[in-house]
Amino acid sequence: DAGITQSPRHKVTETGTPVTLRCHQTENHRYMYWYRQDPGHGLRLIHYSYGVKDTDKGEVSDGYSVSRSKTEDFLLTLESATSSQTSVYFCAISESWEGNTEAFFGQGTRLTVV
Amino acid sequence: SQKIEQNSEALNIQEGKTATLTCNYTNYSPAYLQWYRQDPGRGPVFLLLIRENEKEKRKERLKVTFDTTLKQSLFHITASQPADSATYLCALGSQGNLIFGKGTKLSVKP
């Protein structure tokens, strides 16, 4: 498996609380992505990063923020969690943004907002 | 708007048969198309990548075609086995990110 680790793997939190998910890679890949996966919607891109301190929004970015202060770490923050953010979150990494290299995925974080 | 559609949510086939999964896209002009496999409770795993100038790509029992005129990719698994049961996702690179279809859940019955 590629060196990509997500933490925590499972989390239950209350509505209105802040939550931060961490993605750590040891592959030195430039591009990092956060997706959420929900039944009926598939994988949807939340935010992505193309370098340290360089990030951009994806399809479903509302309510989420990200930071990348080091190549190896990409953090996803839910400033004030809502029940609609209950989902499975996946981090991914790739060497290229053009789609000409494979993406490697973490094991996922199952987040439940109650 | 841009769309990626995988026509079937689920596909059930008999062991030994060929499974064919479809991925259609609109309002994209991708140079590359990828296919992934996802097992329950796990992240997607890369299977194959095909370039726009390649009509077909093979890897063991897997075959992918890419028709940029039809805006379609077909994913074939020959001599299917119960172990091939999983969800299969197609993905396109677009403007700096990787966009996925919703996936097709393949079930191979013994």
Side-chain angles (χ1 to χ4, degrees):
Chain A
D1 289 345
I4 177 169
T5 306
Q6 291 184 232
S7 59
R9 293 292 313 279
H10 301 272
K11 185 170 183 66
V12 179
T13 192
E14 292 186 351
T15 299
T17 59
V19 177
T20 295
L21 308 183
R22 181 180 185 237
C23 178
H24 178 78
Q25 63 147 327
T26 58
E27 305 295 323
N28 201 36
H29 284 352
R30 180 178 175 185
Y31 295 89
M32 298 186 76
Y33 311 85
W34 276 108
Y35 292 89
R36 61 177 289 175
Q37 189 171 40
D38 306 286
H41 290 280
L43 278 166
R44 292 182 292 173
L45 184 67
I46 305 171
H47 281 279
Y48 63 100
S49 170
Y50 45 97
V52 174
K53 292 185 170 40
D54 292 322
T55 65
D56 207 346
K57 296 178 180 180
E59 176 189 0
V60 290
S61 59
D62 286 349
Y64 302 94
S65 62
V66 290
S67 66
R68 192 168 177 198
S69 58
K70 298 186 289 185
T71 298
E72 56 266 35
D73 290 325
F74 192 33
L75 304 180
L76 176 72
T77 298
L78 291 66
E79 301 291 347
S80 177
T82 67
S83 58
S84 65
Q85 293 175 313
T86 292
S87 186
V88 180
Y89 291 85
F90 287 101
C91 175
I93 61 174
S94 69
E95 290 184 282
S96 147
W97 66 275
E98 295 177 341
N100 62 342
T101 59
E102 64 185 286
F104 299 94
F105 282 80
Q107 291 287 70
T109 295
R110 183 173 294 276
L111 177 68
T112 303
V113 183
V114 298
Chain B
S1 62
Q2 297 174 321
K3 284 186 182 178
I4 302 175
E5 292 182 342
Q6 294 188 244
N7 290 12
S8 302
E9 285 192 13
L11 179 65
N12 300 311
I13 64 168
Q14 208 65 33
E15 182 176 8
K17 301 293 186 183
T18 296
T20 298
L21 285 63
T22 304
C23 177
N24 294 292
Y25 58 92
T26 56
N27 298 323
Y28 283 113
S29 295
Y32 310 93
L33 188 144
Q34 303 183 20
W35 283 88
Y36 289 76
R37 169 181 173 142
Q38 187 174 22
D39 292 288
R42 303 183 69 92
V45 174
F46 173 81
L47 295 175
L48 281 169
L49 178 150
I50 187 166
R51 293 170 170 75
E52 62 177 343
N53 60 352
E54 295 177 316
K55 295 283 192 220
E56 182 179 297
K57 194 82 168 279
R58 290 177 185 262
K59 179 182 176 183
E60 298 173 352
R61 293 184 296 111
L62 309 180
K63 184 179 86 172
V64 172
T65 63
F66 192 10
D67 189 325
T68 55
T69 301
L70 292 178
K71 294 186 181 293
Q72 182 181 81
S73 174
L74 299 179
F75 177 81
H76 305 273
I77 305 176
T78 58
S80 60
Q81 305 166 0
D84 295 325
S85 297
T87 296
Y88 292 86
L89 308 168
C90 67
L92 301 174
S94 174
Q95 298 177 334
N97 55 75
L98 203 54
I99 308 297
F100 284 82
K102 293 181 182 179
T104 296
K105 184 176 182 180
L106 175 68
S107 296
V108 181
K109 307 293 185 188

